[in-house]
Amino acid sequence: MDQTKRPLLIPPEFGTYAEKHGIFDLYKRLMEQLLINKPSDPLVFLVELLKRDNNDVPQVIILGPPASGKKTIAKLCSNKLRTAHLTEDNMVAEAETDTKVKVQEMIKKRQVVPTEVWVKILTDRMKLADCIKKGWVMEGFPQTREQALALQTAGVYAKHTVILDAPDTVLIERAQGKRIDPKTGDIYHTTFDLPTNPEIQGRLEEVPGYKEEEMVQKLIEYHRHIDGVLDCYQKTVKTINADQPKADVFSQVYTYLCRNPRSNAPHTPRIVLLGPTGSGKGVQAALLANKYNIVNVSCGQLVKQSIADETDQGKASIPYVDKDMMVPDTIVQKIVSNRLSQLDCVSRGWVLHGYPRTREQGEMLAKEGFLPNRVFFLNVPNDSVIERLTLRSTDPITGDRYHSLYNPPRTQEVKDRLSKHTKDEESKVKARLSQYHAYVEELADLYIQGQQINADQDPHTVFECIESMIVNPLPKKFM
């Protein structure tokens, strides 16, 4: 081949390095902190930021009306995420002595604590090691739009904001049975959450400020300000129905906290579709390629094209294809690598199906630098696969495909000339299924971030499920 006509092959590391190390998000985070803090020595400040062990820590705000369960849910979240639990009371208690005395005196006199004082207390608290290294869950603050804007101006922002919502009548009724353990600060309820320990039951006390008249005033105050607060956090907020069992509320909150926020970083899709024969990998790959303008890479088609082009790998594949044998991994890997290294795949992204089929092939793919950022296992029961494949046939004149149950031919003439491919015989389909299931567990162990998809449904429903996991970040897994 003329060397000037050879396809341009680009090392895959060019496209994966920035994504692997989060370079775009790192740069964005550094610029944000630089503009917020305005340090006198920017270089030293940036170096200190880069030295931190972990910048991707939870930053959660939990808000809601009185008696909605903020304290309980915030404590559960901070324990689960292993973060600092910030409340107005413990932040004041840990503040500098002068500020602490001043604020406690104002609270005792029922005076409004100035927003700038709260911001000073909070920013000082967040400079401590536990907030920096582990993150924080803040309960019940901010309470006004002014406080929310002041926090954002000071560079304190939440990655997740949770609103616990319930009807006012439910909250007023719930407040009547609210009790506190003065020794631990834990909240209980005489009807819904009474402690089993008689000793704890004996020392429970009513929570001051939760009589019906006081609750009505607190709810009026809450509703007056909450819309302004939500306007400041509209991109990170999630409203959870708090009028349900505590375990259900926490489960929904935790599921939301496991979601990664969308990133503005450039994203090149590198998708691998795995599944048994007849699971619809080719259909889904075509839909993805058509909608997102990525390259549809079929391993089977690549081998056939390589043979047709009479490449070295194609010539080496002919004896195996003629005998209906598996082409050796080294030959297939070379064919696939050459295709994925071409400019269109590197610049636009790709969706690969039909490869890898074994863990060894997956490891070879990774060794070459081709690391998928999304892997989907299309799961279909064996009975459904057999029904799909053994009952399908092709019109040799038009090339149209038919299925005797779901898409039968419309005329007897077409029906009479239909033909079936030999590979769709039931015995051969079962052999391919056995081969897939022999290696699928190893592939699942290799691709631990792989997503399981129920592919035994309408193709467009399956596509919507796959698409949602491509455009949104994968959920976080907290240890």
Side-chain angles (χ1 to χ4, degrees):
M1 178 186 288
D2 184 350
Q3 294 298 313
T4 62
K5 296 182 179 179
R6 289 175 65 88
L8 176 63
L9 302 182
I10 301 175
E13 292 81 4
F14 284 17
T16 59
Y17 179 82
E19 185 178 324
K20 178 181 178 182
H21 296 282
I23 300 298
F24 184 92
D25 290 325
L26 175 64
Y27 176 77
K28 176 174 172 284
R29 187 165 60 245
L30 292 176
M31 291 303 296
E32 283 176 350
Q33 295 302 318
L34 201 60
L35 295 172
I36 289 168
N37 292 279
K38 302 180 181 65
S40 56
D41 191 336
L43 291 179
V44 173
F45 177 78
L46 291 175
V47 169
E48 289 302 316
L49 276 179
L50 291 169
K51 284 182 178 178
R52 291 183 182 177
D53 293 338
N54 182 16
N55 281 305
D56 188 23
V57 295
Q59 295 172 198
V60 184
I61 290 178
I62 296 182
L63 303 173
S68 60
K70 298 185 297 295
K71 181 180 287 292
T72 300
I73 297 301
K75 184 173 283 190
L76 288 171
C77 288
S78 63
N79 290 339
K80 183 72 173 178
L81 303 177
R82 299 178 183 176
T83 64
H85 177 199
L86 306 182
T87 67
E88 289 184 353
D89 291 340
N90 66 31
M91 285 192 292
V92 170
E94 296 171 8
E96 295 177 355
T97 305
D98 293 343
T99 305
K100 173 181 174 181
V101 172
K102 178 182 175 183
V103 172
Q104 287 178 338
E105 189 67 25
M106 295 177 75
I107 293 174
K108 188 175 181 181
K109 293 179 180 179
R110 296 191 176 182
Q111 297 176 349
V112 177
V113 179
T115 298
E116 58 270 19
V117 175
W118 277 122
V119 172
K120 176 70 167 58
I121 291 173
L122 206 149
T123 51
D124 287 345
R125 176 66 182 85
M126 289 188 176
K127 291 176 183 177
L128 298 182
D130 58 345
C131 287
I132 292 174
K133 292 187 175 182
K134 297 181 179 180
W136 46 266
V137 174
M138 183 159 59
E139 166 206 329
F141 193 88
Q143 298 175 354
T144 66
R145 177 181 172 82
E146 180 190 5
Q147 292 173 347
L149 291 175
L151 288 182
Q152 292 178 340
T153 303
V156 178
Y157 62 93
K159 296 177 182 176
H160 299 86
T161 305
V162 176
I163 303 293
L164 301 179
D165 192 35
D168 288 355
T169 52
V170 172
L171 296 171
I172 292 171
E173 182 183 354
R174 184 186 290 181
Q176 307 308 307
K178 189 173 182 180
R179 299 292 184 270
I180 187 170
D181 182 347
K183 187 174 181 180
T184 63
D186 291 337
I187 298 295
Y188 296 95
H189 195 279
T190 54
T191 304
F192 308 116
D193 189 23
L194 193 66
T196 54
N197 189 327
E199 183 182 349
I200 298 177
Q201 289 184 24
R203 62 174 185 250
L204 292 183
E205 297 178 356
E206 286 190 20
V207 182
Y210 280 87
K211 292 181 180 178
E212 185 171 349
E213 299 80 9
E214 295 170 310
M215 274 293 295
V216 170
Q217 290 302 316
K218 287 183 177 182
L219 288 169
I220 292 172
E221 185 79 10
Y222 170 79
H223 290 303
R224 181 184 302 142
H225 294 292
I226 189 59
D227 288 340
V229 175
L230 291 181
D231 189 54
C232 298
Y233 296 108
Q234 53 185 309
K235 291 186 178 180
T236 64
V237 73
K238 173 77 172 178
T239 301
I240 304 291
N241 177 20
D243 187 18
Q244 53 184 328
K246 176 175 66 177
D248 294 341
V249 176
F250 173 67
S251 174
Q252 293 176 37
V253 171
Y254 183 68
T255 299
Y256 173 60
L257 299 185
C258 288
R259 292 183 189 171
N260 281 317
R262 274 200 187 186
S263 169
N264 293 321
H267 176 69
T268 303
R270 300 187 303 278
I271 305 165
V272 169
L273 299 180
L274 301 172
T277 178
S279 59
K281 300 186 293 295
V283 172
Q284 298 304 321
L287 290 171
L288 289 169
N290 183 57
K291 181 165 184 177
Y292 294 102
N293 193 32
I294 58 180
V295 182
N296 183 355
V297 182
S298 166
C299 181
Q301 291 298 327
L302 285 182
V303 173
K304 293 176 183 177
Q305 187 64 46
S306 182
I307 293 173
D309 293 342
E310 298 184 348
T311 64
D312 292 341
Q313 291 79 30
K315 292 176 182 177
S317 303
I318 292 175
Y320 300 97
V321 174
D322 289 343
K323 296 178 182 178
D324 200 22
M325 295 171 61
M326 295 288 290
V327 179
D329 291 352
T330 52
I331 298 175
V332 178
Q333 177 62 40
K334 185 66 176 175
I335 295 173
V336 172
S337 296
N338 285 339
R339 183 65 188 94
L340 298 182
S341 298
Q342 291 180 21
L343 181 61
D344 58 347
C345 284
V346 174
S347 59
R348 289 159 44 198
W350 44 264
V351 52
L352 174 63
H353 54 104
Y355 188 88
R357 296 185 177 184
T358 65
R359 184 186 180 102
E360 289 72 21
Q361 292 177 348
E363 290 172 345
M364 289 172 65
L365 199 64
K367 190 175 180 180
E368 292 285 332
F370 299 104
L371 302 171
N373 46 30
R374 293 291 187 277
V375 177
F376 298 102
F377 291 87
L378 306 185
N379 300 321
V380 182
N382 288 353
D383 292 344
S384 296
V385 170
I386 292 171
E387 182 183 271
R388 285 185 183 185
L389 299 185
T390 58
L391 298 181
R392 72 180 181 181
S393 51
T394 306
D395 185 340
I397 295 178
T398 64
D400 293 336
R401 280 191 172 183
Y402 296 93
H403 192 280
S404 57
L405 290 181
Y406 307 119
N407 183 30
R410 297 183 179 180
T411 65
Q412 187 64 37
E413 180 186 356
V414 174
K415 184 177 181 180
D416 292 339
R417 67 173 183 246
L418 293 181
S419 63
K420 290 187 177 181
H421 199 288
T422 55
K423 70 177 184 179
D424 288 342
E425 295 174 3
E426 186 171 343
S427 59
K428 293 185 178 180
V429 171
K430 288 182 176 179
R432 296 202 300 276
L433 285 171
S434 298
Q435 187 179 43
Y436 170 76
H437 290 297
Y439 296 106
V440 66
E441 289 187 8
E442 293 181 359
L443 285 168
D445 291 338
L446 176 64
Y447 296 118
I448 56 175
Q449 290 289 341
Q451 303 296 307
Q452 304 291 333
I453 305 292
N454 174 19
D456 190 19
Q457 48 188 333
D458 179 75
H460 291 283
T461 304
V462 177
F463 174 71
E464 288 176 2
C465 184
I466 293 174
E467 184 183 33
S468 69
M469 295 184 186
I470 292 174
V471 299
N472 294 309
L474 294 177
K476 245 183 222 178
K477 291 184 179 179
F478 292 101
M479 300 302 291

